[in-house]
Amino acid sequence: MSIRDALASDAEAIIRIYNPYVVGTTITFEETPVGADEMRNRIAKNGDEYAWLVYEGDGRVLGYAYASRWRERCAYRSSVESTVYVEEGARGRGIGRALYEALLERLRAKAVHVVIGGIAMPNERSVGLHEALGFERVANFPEVGYKFGRWIDVGYWAKKL
């Protein structure tokens, strides 16, 4: 097992993990599968500014985590939104927690003040992970997403570093 910075060459592995969430769940509000070129652009953008990490195990990438700007206005510069995804067959093995802990450590080193996790509800696993890592629920936005013919609430959890 190892956690390292994501590379452009990881894009194919990352979309292999991510796209099933896009087409089969409400965990992400994207509705169209993401291509490798787009994922390479995302890695470059967020990895340079904050962090984009991958978890390698069993000889391949099994999960990833990254942070991105929370909002565009300058006063938000010390707040980020965090994201973590684990391959479906690898969930429940502590990969998400290991990635998140490494991401939080990296963000502390970059003087990030607040990390925000947005969770499409319901998602007990994600809520449990965030709360186990010391995040506190700070908001609930009812019916702000619409996917698969239904309205979806989004909850927000925050952690001061």
Side-chain angles (χ1 to χ4, degrees):
M1 160 272 173
S2 69
I3 295 174
R4 61 169 174 77
D5 289 329
L7 306 169
S9 59
D10 294 317
E12 291 287 345
I14 290 170
I15 63 171
R16 175 184 47 79
I17 294 166
Y18 182 59
N19 281 335
Y21 287 96
V22 172
V23 299
T25 77
T26 58
I27 289 172
T28 175
F29 285 173
E30 275 194 269
E31 297 177 309
T32 305
V34 176
D37 286 340
E38 171 61 21
M39 192 57 72
R40 277 188 280 278
N41 290 337
R42 293 179 188 188
I43 293 167
K45 178 181 177 188
N46 292 313
D48 289 345
E49 188 169 3
Y50 297 110
W52 191 303
L53 306 173
V54 295
Y55 180 105
E56 287 185 312
D58 302 333
R60 60 196 175 103
V61 174
L62 296 175
Y64 66 95
Y66 67 90
S68 56
R69 183 178 298 272
W70 166 242
R71 294 283 185 256
E72 290 301 316
R73 301 281 190 260
C74 187
Y76 292 116
R77 67 185 161 273
S78 297
S79 299
V80 299
E81 185 168 9
S82 56
T83 301
V84 62
Y85 283 95
V86 175
E87 183 179 275
E88 183 177 342
R91 286 186 250 161
R93 295 172 34 188
I95 294 170
R97 184 182 185 113
L99 276 164
Y100 225 140
E101 288 173 343
L103 180 65
L104 293 173
E105 182 179 318
R106 184 75 62 87
L107 295 173
R108 275 186 200 95
K110 292 184 176 267
V112 168
H113 182 62
V114 175
V115 180
I116 300 161
I119 304 172
M121 304 302 291
N123 188 334
E124 291 180 26
R125 287 186 118 166
S126 187
V127 169
L129 174 61
H130 283 84
E131 291 181 353
L133 291 169
F135 284 74
E136 295 180 10
R137 188 173 189 153
V138 295
N140 184 67
F141 296 106
E143 298 184 0
V144 294
Y146 188 82
K147 188 173 179 181
F148 301 139
R150 66 184 178 91
W151 291 105
I152 302 152
D153 296 356
V154 176
Y156 282 91
W157 277 254
K159 178 180 178 74
K160 291 181 187 172
L161 297 182

